[in-house]
Amino acid sequence: MNFPSELKYTKDHEWVKIEGNEAYIGITDFAQRELGDIVYIDINTVGDEVSKDDVFGTVEAVKTVSDLFMPVTATVTETNPELNDNPELVNSDPYGKGWMVKVTLSDAAEVADLLDADAYKALVGA
């Protein structure tokens, strides 16, 4: 499994790539492996401020639907348009082309509560 060190992680298996006061969010390599083949991503929170730990969308795999939890309080500014026709990008490139939302951070201090790569590895037993 892959755990890029420049990313932050949550106990709910989301990753966060911070770029100034903006961030990209997706699900981890571990999460996509657990879910299996992803067939649909449903995110309808563009323009909304979503509080930390609230649901910002869902990911549907062949056998299950899973909620997506916002790692930090943020306003969703964009969804990844490529996932509409190619949700399997989350399986093949979870940290790159498989990103789910771009957000503007409301409280950058919340980033300090996220896990680093080593802490996330320990969480999933890798």
Side-chain angles (χ1 to χ4, degrees):
M1 273 184 285
N2 189 8
F3 304 93
S5 61
E6 72 275 10
L7 303 178
K8 295 292 188 177
Y9 301 88
T10 72
K11 293 178 181 172
D12 294 313
H13 311 292
E14 284 85 21
W15 59 262
V16 184
K17 180 180 182 184
I18 306 292
E19 294 183 348
N21 71 333
E22 296 183 323
Y24 289 88
I25 298 169
I27 63 170
T28 65
D29 192 17
F30 175 84
Q32 68 83 19
R33 287 176 190 231
E34 292 290 306
L35 288 168
D37 292 336
I38 294 172
V39 295
Y40 184 68
I41 311 290
D42 183 24
I43 300 170
N44 60 5
T45 50
V46 172
D48 296 347
E49 181 176 76
V50 182
S51 296
K52 180 180 177 181
D53 298 328
D54 283 357
V55 174
F56 71 87
T58 57
V59 59
E60 184 175 333
V62 173
K63 296 181 180 179
T64 188
V65 176
S66 185
D67 287 334
L68 298 166
F69 297 98
M70 186 60 69
V72 291
T73 302
T75 300
V76 179
T77 57
E78 185 180 338
T79 60
N80 183 346
E82 289 190 57
L83 298 183
N84 294 333
D85 295 327
N86 301 296
E88 66 276 4
L89 288 171
V90 175
N91 291 116
S92 62
D93 191 10
Y95 301 117
K97 291 183 179 182
W99 65 272
M100 294 182 173
V101 293
K102 183 178 180 182
V103 301
T104 300
L105 303 174
S106 299
D107 183 0
E110 288 179 343
V111 171
D113 296 335
L114 299 173
L115 304 173
D116 64 15
D118 289 336
Y120 184 70
K121 271 191 227 179
L123 176 76
V124 299

